[in-house]
Amino acid sequence: MAEPVTLLLDVPSGWSGHWAGPLSEYLPQARLLGQDDAAVEAGRIDYLITFRPRKGLLASLSNLKAVFCLGAGVDGILADPDFPRDLPLMRFVDRSLSRELAQYVVLHVLIFHRGQRYFDAAQAMNKWRQRPLLRRTEDTRIGILGMGEIGTMCAERLRDLDFPVTGWSRSRKAVSGVESFAGAGELAPFLARSDILICLLPLTSATQGILNAKTFALLPKGAFLINAARGGHLIEADLVEAIDRGHLAGATLDVFQHEPLPADSVLWNHPKITVTPHVAAITDPRAAARAISEGIGALERGEPAPYRVDIAQGY
Ligand code: GLV
């Protein structure tokens, strides 16, 4: 690269230390700015690295060439009315991220399937309480909403544990041993055979609020929900109602309508809901720095960068 490119790293101040090293290593020629330099240098910034830009930031960057998202989901960037719709936006896709999310999903599928909370409660009372599995593995049908890179890896991992797995996506997918349902017309039959429903969809206008009372009514009685996508997919009150009237067995939620989840949310103390603080997959700075350097390299050579988001589609 002839001229050094200028990057702005827009992460909460406590996190910038994790990122500066890997970014300087992969992009040794680049000038790396932090949030504090943004105001003075706004017109000179070529690339923005962000997850959820703070209000007004995008509007202030007049010469931006592209934005790199620090996560897989770019909804936090597209929600900003100042995001120029023709600007290249790249989402983060990497095996390390898919693998972490798949670990989270497998963990929470097994906690539910193996009845681990029952044994935890028994241990807390010094009680030796044996109990068989409530349902055979072969009879525990798993449905994955969203079959991108992450959904596909989750499907493969769960299939390899002998669960029957289906995936639902906008277009039909071919994943060995995983049945594919596609499009709005096949959502109801997909839900009807999902004893454990896992949401890994991108958040778009088409998927906003997709986990609602109507959806839950289509799930088999006793179904369990795992939402590791976005809080905007879920109508939280509908979930609590479906669990409290006994239709759903419970849920694991990593993402929420409002984050951090407010201290007075009923979700915190619900006996059938597990809450984690949006940690299902945390972006690995080294992997992201590598992807960003490849993307910048491509753009500076006048080539398309990998994983450019289709803005109309939202992912
Ligand atoms: C995390 O939420 C991500 O989008 O990667």
Side-chain angles (χ1 to χ4, degrees):
M1 291 170 210
E3 288 285 306
V5 295
T6 301
L7 320 183
L8 174 61
L9 177 60
D10 175 41
V11 289
S13 47
W15 290 74
S16 53
H18 298 281
W19 286 90
L23 280 167
S24 315
E25 186 185 323
Y26 279 98
L27 288 152
Q29 315 292 348
R31 293 174 63 233
L32 181 61
L33 305 183
Q35 284 192 3
D36 296 344
D37 317 304
V40 249
E41 301 246 25
R44 285 205 286 269
I45 290 162
D46 300 303
Y47 297 104
L48 172 65
I49 303 172
T50 187
F51 183 63
R52 223 175 272 286
R54 68 200 139 75
K55 212 167 163 357
L57 177 64
L58 274 164
S60 73
L61 306 177
S62 48
N63 285 313
L64 215 48
K65 294 183 188 169
V67 177
F68 287 87
C69 182
L70 286 169
V74 295
D75 47 289
I77 297 170
L78 293 181
D80 190 324
D82 295 323
F83 175 77
R85 313 311 275 180
D86 53 352
L87 194 68
L89 167 63
M90 271 59 66
R91 63 199 172 94
F92 177 55
V93 178
D94 189 72
R95 189 176 168 79
S96 60
L97 193 78
S98 306
R99 183 184 61 210
E100 284 215 15
L101 207 356
Q103 287 173 358
Y104 179 91
V105 161
V106 168
L107 172 70
H108 289 279
V109 162
L110 292 180
I111 286 174
F112 171 65
H113 178 61
R114 308 275 319 192
Q116 185 57 41
R117 280 180 149 228
Y118 172 86
F119 299 115
D120 288 343
Q123 181 178 355
M125 295 182 291
N126 296 18
K127 295 281 187 205
W128 182 267
R129 286 197 173 146
Q130 293 181 319
R131 189 179 82 165
L133 282 187
L134 295 182
R135 192 163 24 207
R136 294 167 68 233
T137 302
E138 294 84 340
D139 299 333
T140 303
R141 301 161 299 173
I142 294 187
I144 299 184
L145 280 169
M147 286 291 286
E149 293 82 1
I150 294 173
T152 299
M153 191 187 278
C154 292
E156 290 169 342
R157 298 278 201 264
L158 291 163
R159 172 204 66 197
D160 292 347
L161 289 171
D162 287 348
F163 290 103
V165 183
T166 58
W168 180 84
S169 41
R170 217 168 52 96
S171 54
R172 201 164 306 284
K173 302 281 164 152
V175 179
S176 161
V178 176
E179 201 181 337
S180 170
F181 287 69
E186 294 183 10
L187 183 59
F190 162 83
L191 292 170
R193 48 94 59 231
S194 294
D195 298 307
I196 300 180
L197 180 69
I198 301 166
C199 180
L200 298 169
L201 288 165
L203 184 64
T204 67
S205 53
T207 64
Q208 179 92 31
I210 193 169
L211 303 173
N212 58 43
K214 265 167 69 182
T215 306
F216 298 145
L218 291 166
L219 291 171
K221 186 170 162 53
F224 187 81
L225 171 72
I226 298 176
N227 187 17
R230 286 291 182 263
H233 288 121
L234 172 67
I235 310 296
E236 292 171 358
D238 289 4
L239 173 69
V240 172
E241 196 273 334
I243 295 175
D244 287 349
R245 74 184 161 81
H247 182 62
L248 295 188
T252 290
L253 306 176
D254 186 52
V255 287
F256 304 90
Q257 195 74 52
H258 300 288
E259 293 183 12
L261 181 64
D264 61 355
S265 167
V266 295
L267 300 174
W268 282 115
N269 299 311
H270 195 291
K272 294 188 173 161
I273 295 178
T274 294
V275 166
T276 55
H278 202 147
V279 289
I282 294 181
T283 298
D284 169 26
R286 288 188 60 78
R290 188 177 54 228
I292 291 166
S293 80
E294 284 168 12
I296 290 179
L299 292 171
E300 290 293 311
R301 290 191 300 274
E303 295 164 11
Y307 302 115
R308 180 169 175 175
V309 171
D310 175 337
I311 304 293
Q313 214 167 263
Y315 59 93

